[in-house]
Each structure stands twice: as C-alpha cells, then as structure tokens.
Amino acid sequence: MEGRLTSGDDMRRRMRTGGIAVLAVLALLAGGCSSDDGTGAAGGSDDATEDTGGGPAGNPAAEEAQERAEAFLEDPTELRDLEPLSATPEEGKRIVWLRCSQPSCQVIGDNVVAAAEELGWEVDTIDFSNTEPESVIVAMNQALDSDPDGIALSGIPSDRIEEPLARAQEAGIPVISAAVVEEVGGIDGNGIIGLMGGPNSYETGASAVVDWVIADSGGDANIAVFTVDDFPIIRFEAEAVQAHVEEACPDCTVTVVNQTTADIGTNTPGSVVSTIQENPDIDYVYFGFGDLSRGVTPALLEAGLDAKVVGLAPTEENYQRIIDGEEAAWASWSTPLVGWDIVDGFARFYNGDDLDVIDDRAMTIQLFTEEHPPESESPIFPANYKDLYDEIWQVG
C-alpha cells in the first residue's frame, strides 16, 4: 500500500486550489528561523523486525505502521502510472531547463539532457539563484527569447513567474514544473502542462518515513520536523507529516522548526542541536529534503546527541550516511528520473496523448534504512529505468 491519508488528500486539494493565498509565500527571505509546536499520533511495539528497527512488539498501531513501511523497502522494477506513448516522438525538439542553485537541480538537469538525447532532442540550460527572486524571471524571459519548444523548472510556483508564464502561454510554449504545490492548467489555462514530484509524491514519501519512525520507536516517537516554509511544497510536506502522525500515532509528538533558505548548510546544524538540547525527549529529526540536513549529523555527533536522522529526498551524502550506519531512514523517488519524467511529459504533449498522467504524477518511491541500504550513494530506481522509458517511448 502507499500509505496515503484522507486527511492528506483534503490538505492537498485545499492547497492546490487555494491559488495565490497558498503559493505567494515562496518569496525567498533571508534571516532567522522560527518554530511551532504540534502534536501528532501512533502506537507501540516490543520487538523490531530486521528492516524497521527496534521498537516493542504487540501494539496494533505500530505493527500496522511497520507493515505499511515494509511495502516501500522492496526494490521497484516498474515505473508508476506510465502508459506507452501513441507513437515515437518527433525528433528535433529543443527544451530549456531552468536550473536552480540547489544541488538537486543539477541532477535533474543532467537527466533532462540524457533523456532528451534518447529522443533526438536538444536541451539548453539557464541558471538562476534561489535566493534572488528576480533571477528566475530573468532566466525564464531569456528562455522565451530563444523560442524553445518547451521550458521546465523545479521549485518555483507560478505566482513567482506570472508575467513570463503568461508570455509562454500566449506563445503556446508548454511549461513543466517540479517540486511545487501547483495547479496544472494546461496550455490553454496557465501554460503549465505537467507537474512532477508534487504533493502526491511528497505526501506518500513522508508517510512512508513516518511509518518507519512509528514502528522503530514502538509508537512513542518524539519527532522534530525541520522545514523551509519559503518553499510551499516543503511546508505542505511538514503538514503531511503532522497529519499522518496525528492519524497513526496518538503517543507520538511533533515539533516543527522552520528554517530559511539562507540557513541551509549554515545555521541549520546549530538549530538542530539547540532544539534537541532544549527538548531532550526528541529522538528523531525529520528533514523535508536532503539539502536541509547538510552538516547536521557531524554536529549531532560533536554535541553527543543520538537522535536518529530521517527524511525525504536524500542527497548523495544522506545515502552514504545510511550505508555507513550514521543516518536511520530516508525515502525518495529517484531524483534523476524527475528529468526523464519531464521529457516524457513533453513527449506526451507533442504527441497529443493523454496528459492526465502528468498532472502531479505519482513518482516511484523507495524507503532506505540502515538494514535496507542503497547499493550506492547515487541509486537510480528502478534500476532498469532506461529500458522501461525506451519501451514506453518506442525507441531503441
């Protein structure tokens, strides 16, 4: 099962239809951090299984959480929700990838290029900075000036690019977005034809990690959730974590600590240490995305703190720390495959195929733990992805 919640469905529907009221907070702010406290929900457990840690057995809620978590430990062999294209896409298309300053955008962009090559397409890359709000507008206008066949970007909601997005829509240039809480209005609506790694995937992945924590703790976890409200999708994820804990673990607690973009890799390690020192009962630290955890594990070790590090969308460093036994559990879809899914989305648009599958596409998610580590610090799953895409695209 996918660990999906009715409460999360309601939350996602509210956020995706809330328009500017929901999305406008993505203006990237510098400076301090704030925190909120929340409480959540789960069970208990006396003996852990090999893959889900070491809590007490016999508590129904913990056992149910363990069962849900184990469903994500298996190595996937298929791509989710992808039907074959109606025909091999036409060659000669040119896509522009707007590359943000987070490391994950480099990975996605490299794979947009690799996937496009399979179809005989070209990709131009234009950089922008996450900490300079006008930078993405300049980058998108530069892309539009080159009259491409499509534009893709990650982490930037439509309210931050209203003018260039309207310009793209007027010119009939499709836009695909990733990692945002976004409305997919289509080429005749807001110009956005597809969304990859949106609320659907974030909620599913977050629930898988939380289920592992519930099982591992025996239903008595105290979780500090570190988020960045500058990114609406990460704020959504933090709310999904709280909702799932409330639904599944009545004896668990959640403390939410907000960071800014400027805190990533700088102030966040100290914030984690001070949060645990102020509340020594915290035994799990959840990160909304891997980049946010940079420097945290060494800081915890130096401070003599043993809270378990978990989260969603790990970096290569997080994967390696799982392999080394230094971090406990991370769930993710394969970040490189976001690039392949973007290209697949454009192919469906150019073919005139059904686009429903790329409206908040459900990504293939896997859970990694110390007992079930990745094979390397750069896992791509399913491992046979290239053959699967070639078959779907009718190439090769």
Side-chain angles (χ1 to χ4, degrees):
M1 66 185 290
E2 295 297 330
R4 302 290 304 282
L5 297 175
T6 299
S7 58
D9 292 339
D10 292 340
M11 182 195 321
R12 181 167 58 254
R13 185 163 51 251
R14 290 197 307 271
M15 294 190 73
R16 293 189 64 197
T17 57
I20 293 176
V22 173
L23 297 174
V25 295
L26 192 66
L28 298 176
L29 307 173
C33 59
S34 61
S35 66
D36 307 277
D37 291 338
T39 56
S45 180
D46 262 301
D47 273 289
T49 68
E50 179 182 1
D51 281 322
T52 55
N59 185 287
E63 291 176 354
E64 290 172 7
Q66 178 174 298
E67 182 178 353
R68 291 192 298 268
E70 286 178 344
F72 291 94
L73 291 169
E74 298 178 4
D75 295 332
T77 58
E78 300 292 337
L79 298 166
R80 290 189 57 188
D81 299 338
L82 286 184
E83 295 294 327
L85 298 180
S86 60
T88 302
E90 180 183 352
E91 295 185 359
K93 301 294 185 181
R94 184 173 61 84
I95 306 302
V96 176
W97 167 246
L98 302 185
R99 182 170 59 194
C100 76
S101 50
Q102 296 297 327
S104 57
C105 283
Q106 175 70 52
V107 176
I108 295 171
D110 289 347
N111 283 274
V112 170
V113 172
E117 288 177 350
E118 290 291 298
L119 298 179
W121 297 358
E122 295 181 359
V123 177
D124 294 334
T125 298
I126 300 176
D127 291 326
F128 70 91
S129 171
N130 291 89
T131 59
E132 300 174 11
E134 293 298 316
S135 178
V136 67
I137 296 175
V138 172
M140 191 159 181
N141 279 321
Q142 182 180 344
L144 289 166
D145 288 342
S146 72
D147 192 25
D149 294 298
I151 298 174
L153 72 169
S154 178
I156 304 297
S158 58
D159 70 296
R160 283 200 52 206
I161 51 173
E162 284 183 351
E163 292 186 8
L165 188 59
R167 183 182 165 195
Q169 192 274 336
E170 184 177 356
I173 298 173
V175 176
I176 290 181
S177 190
V180 287
V181 180
E182 188 61 87
E183 177 185 358
V184 178
I187 195 66
D188 296 323
N190 63 358
I192 297 174
I193 65 162
L195 171 62
M196 312 301 171
N200 185 359
S201 299
Y202 274 82
E203 183 192 0
T204 301
S207 296
V209 176
V210 171
D211 281 331
W212 182 90
V213 169
I214 294 170
D216 183 69
S217 69
D220 188 26
N222 295 286
I223 311 166
V225 176
F226 279 76
T227 183
V228 179
D229 282 356
D230 291 343
F231 299 109
I233 192 66
I234 305 303
R235 185 178 71 249
F236 170 88
E237 179 190 347
E239 293 178 359
V241 168
Q242 290 178 285
H244 191 45
V245 171
E246 182 178 356
E247 179 81 9
C249 188
D251 296 325
C252 296
T253 63
V254 173
T255 300
V256 177
V257 185
N258 184 40
Q259 305 286 279
T260 69
T261 307
D263 292 326
I264 299 171
T266 56
N267 299 324
T268 297
S271 179
V272 173
V273 169
S274 62
T275 297
I276 298 175
Q277 289 173 336
E278 291 169 7
N279 184 356
D281 289 335
I282 291 172
D283 44 8
Y284 296 87
V285 186
Y286 179 105
F287 292 95
F289 57 106
D291 288 334
L292 183 58
S293 72
R294 293 205 310 265
V296 167
T297 293
L300 290 174
L301 292 171
E302 184 176 351
L305 301 173
D306 59 1
K308 295 184 178 183
V309 173
V310 302
L312 182 64
T315 64
E316 290 186 357
E317 178 181 337
N318 300 124
Y319 282 124
Q320 187 61 55
R321 291 191 184 281
I322 293 175
I323 293 170
D324 295 340
E326 297 175 348
E327 295 183 357
W330 286 83
S332 189
W333 49 91
S334 183
T335 301
L337 297 196
V338 176
W340 288 74
D341 278 353
I342 285 171
V343 171
D344 177 82
F346 282 123
R348 293 176 190 276
F349 174 80
Y350 301 139
N351 271 10
D353 291 343
D354 183 9
L355 299 183
D356 285 348
V357 69
I358 63 173
D359 183 353
D360 194 9
R361 175 180 290 174
M363 308 295 285
T364 301
I365 290 174
Q366 188 167 3
L367 177 64
F368 297 96
T369 70
E370 186 176 353
E371 293 80 14
H372 192 276
E375 293 183 357
S376 74
E377 76 280 3
S378 303
I380 299 182
F381 49 90
N384 58 335
Y385 73 95
K386 187 176 179 297
D387 291 339
L388 294 173
Y389 281 105
D390 283 352
E391 181 178 351
I392 289 168
W393 296 343
Q394 303 180 44
V395 299

